[in-house]
């Protein structure tokens, strides 16, 4: 049913037809066919940037808190540890 309605709205945009929908009306008609969406989840600001599952627990000398304790150890083992 939704596909048929999408086709109807799309065809109503083609050619010089007296029943041609105005673009805002066509967009509104197509938007009504979409399932309701959930708002995007709020970003989790307190999670480790490396594992992305544990909370940030280590504060670096620069003041940034970016890693959990296990990932901090991993980050320090890198050739060029970065903030």
């Amino acid at each position: 049913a939704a596909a048929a309605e999408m086709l109807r709205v799309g065809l109503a945009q083609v050619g010089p037809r007296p029943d041609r929908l105005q673009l805002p009306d066509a967009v509104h008609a197509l938007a009504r066919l979409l399932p309701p969406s959930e708002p995007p989840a709020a970003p989790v600001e307190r999670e480790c940037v490396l594992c992305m599952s544990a909370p940030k627990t280590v504060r670096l000398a620069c003041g940034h808190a970016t890693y959990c304790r296990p990932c901090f150890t991993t980050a320090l083992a890198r050739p060029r540890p970065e903030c």
Side-chain angles (χ1 to χ4, degrees):
E5 180 64 11
M6 289 173 72
L7 178 62
R8 184 195 70 75
V9 170
L11 290 176
Q13 294 303 305
V14 179
R17 298 175 49 172
D19 62 339
R20 183 175 178 171
L21 293 171
Q22 294 295 317
L23 185 57
D25 296 333
V27 170
H28 182 69
L30 292 173
R32 285 193 324 254
L33 298 174
L34 295 174
S37 62
E38 296 180 19
V44 178
E45 299 291 333
R46 304 295 304 164
E47 67 185 14
C48 171
V49 298
L50 197 56
C51 69
M52 301 183 81
S53 61
K56 298 173 185 177
T57 56
V58 177
R59 185 162 303 277
L60 303 175
C62 63
H64 290 120
T66 49
Y67 301 110
C68 63
R69 176 78 47 201
C71 290
F72 177 66
T73 305
T74 302
L76 284 179
R78 291 180 179 171
R80 292 182 55 203
E82 296 179 3
C83 166

